[in-house]
Amino acid sequence: MAHGPSDLAPVRPGLRLALNLASWSTTSAAEQLSLVSAAEALGYDAVWIAEAYGSDAVTPLAWLAGHTTRIGLGSGVMQVPARSAAMTAMTAATIDSLSDGRFRLGLGVSGPQVSEGWHGVMFGHPLARLREYVEAVRQALARAPLSYAGEHVRIPPPGSDARAMSLAMRPVREHVPVYLAAVGPRALDLCAEIGDGWLSSFADTTTVAEAVARFDAGRAHRLPGIAAAVDDVVVGCPLVATDGTDSADDIAAAADPVRDYAALYVGGMGGRQDNVYAKIAARLGYATAAATVQDLYLTRRRAEAAAALPSEFIDRVSLLGPPQRIAQRLAELSAAGATTVSVMPFAPTVAARVAMLEAAAEALRTSGVGA
């Protein structure tokens, strides 16, 4: 039986590596540039920068555009409540121009604490808002008159006599790829419908495989004018490359540098009912531990919260141990449908983090699944 293009699952490329710098404010600009330069020299595909309530993602990406030549530059993510859709389109077009077409626009609704407590924007109906926001951003980047009459995005606003305006600059590319940070099933379905890429958090191989299955199943519902599939499945992974063994004790020791970071998300990114990262841990089988971590973190016993996080959970969502173990995990993620693994090296010095980037690149080479 003959198949048309929409009947077949997409052929995804071999696995690539990316660098996840998290928030720019965690270390100095010179140190961050050293990591990015090393990643570019090693052939890493992209660098992703996040924002919460410290540094923004946009400014360092614009700065890096002038200090790099090849590596992709991604916002991982720009917060929807922080900017109007028009400002996001302007920013995306500007950075894409500065970088000669290397920008990837990662978007996310953030969480209720940051959205309401920092940006002053109510968090209700996050997926409906995200859908409208992405549609308006795409309309603006296409240089069509920005006229959008949604429930949450209204340009011009009701009652206004202003005319719809078009983006005054011409983007380098006709299509700037839009990546969505999505966690739950409904969010993944939305990404399947309107996203060019997926940015995951705390995802193991099973989570990735289930997400990719949803993306492929959702191809029939893709909006006209955008890519035929979620082409880039980006799996974010803490990285601790060691020269030890893959024994349980050594892997538990490798998990320790990640504890504070993971506990912040599982324990502190939201309240007891609305923390999406605690829900991720629960879906992976660690509901009791996640509740304990939340109780400790929210009562300011943060060291205890970090200690209460199971090493097995950290291992499932990270790349830990010697290069051969990391190579095996990369192969497993590739088999699950990942196209990019975005690594966040945990080490006390820049030199040690660069060494970990080198170890990951070598692990990908030996894994046999590289692009």
Side-chain angles (χ1 to χ4, degrees):
M1 175 177 163
H3 294 274
S6 62
D7 298 320
L8 301 175
V11 177
R12 293 187 169 88
L15 194 67
R16 302 176 292 256
L17 289 175
L19 170 62
N20 184 349
L21 288 179
S23 173
W24 186 260
S25 56
T26 54
T27 188
S28 72
E31 291 176 328
Q32 298 281 45
L33 182 57
S34 294
L35 287 175
V36 174
S37 298
E40 184 169 53
L42 288 166
Y44 277 54
D45 182 62
V47 54
W48 293 91
I49 297 178
E51 60 186 18
Y53 46 94
S55 62
D56 72 291
V58 171
T59 307
L61 287 170
W63 185 70
L64 286 174
H67 286 79
T68 56
T69 58
R70 181 202 59 80
I71 197 166
L73 304 170
S75 58
V77 297
M78 287 166 62
Q79 298 166 332
V80 165
R83 302 170 181 86
S84 70
M87 176 54 74
T88 291
M90 292 165 62
T91 301
T94 303
I95 299 181
D96 204 47
S97 175
L98 290 173
S99 64
D100 195 25
R102 291 184 283 140
F103 182 60
R104 294 112 187 258
L105 175 58
L107 295 172
V109 293
S110 191
Q113 178 57 48
V114 172
S115 182
E116 297 176 11
W118 183 243
H119 295 301
V121 176
M122 295 302 294
F123 187 70
H125 308 287
L127 294 184
R129 286 190 295 116
L130 182 58
R131 175 190 294 277
E132 293 183 3
Y133 191 92
V134 170
E135 290 175 353
V137 168
R138 281 207 167 105
Q139 186 181 125
L141 285 172
R143 302 185 75 224
L146 182 52
S147 177
Y148 195 95
E151 182 179 353
H152 306 279
V153 178
R154 300 180 180 184
I155 309 168
S160 172
D161 293 329
R163 62 178 177 83
M165 301 174 67
S166 301
L167 182 66
M169 69 178 295
R170 185 175 296 279
V172 173
R173 293 173 293 173
E174 292 185 1
H175 182 83
V176 176
V178 175
Y179 290 67
L180 299 185
V183 176
R186 290 177 58 226
L188 290 170
D189 288 343
L190 179 63
C191 186
E193 185 178 344
I194 68 173
D196 299 304
W198 175 49
L199 299 173
S200 76
S201 296
F202 297 101
D204 69 346
T205 52
T206 299
T207 303
V208 173
E210 291 173 348
V212 169
R214 296 189 84 96
F215 298 152
D216 291 344
R219 297 180 73 225
H221 305 291
R222 298 285 287 181
L223 293 182
I226 60 175
V230 178
D231 289 328
D232 197 5
V233 176
V234 183
V235 181
C237 288
L239 169 67
V240 181
T242 72
D243 56 6
T245 71
D246 59 0
S247 68
D249 287 346
D250 281 0
I251 298 306
D256 284 342
V258 186
R259 287 189 176 280
D260 288 345
Y261 165 80
L264 166 64
Y265 281 82
V266 174
M269 287 294 184
R272 288 178 174 82
Q273 304 303 319
D274 56 21
N275 184 325
V276 297
Y277 303 99
K279 292 177 181 178
I280 291 173
R283 281 198 291 271
L284 293 179
Y286 300 94
T288 301
T292 299
V293 171
Q294 281 190 291
D295 287 341
L296 292 169
Y297 206 96
L298 294 174
T299 54
R300 299 186 179 277
R301 291 180 286 173
R302 296 176 180 176
E304 294 176 64
L309 203 60
S311 298
E312 294 83 0
F313 166 73
I314 298 173
D315 184 31
R316 282 180 65 175
V317 299
S318 305
L319 298 175
L320 307 179
Q324 65 269 23
R325 190 174 192 267
I326 292 174
Q328 179 182 353
R329 183 62 58 86
L330 290 173
E332 292 168 353
L333 288 168
S334 178
T339 56
T340 302
V341 174
S342 181
V343 300
M344 182 189 304
F346 282 78
T349 66
V350 172
R353 293 197 290 275
V354 168
M356 288 186 182
L357 295 180
E358 293 170 345
E362 177 62 16
L364 179 61
R365 188 189 68 79
T366 61
S367 72
V369 297

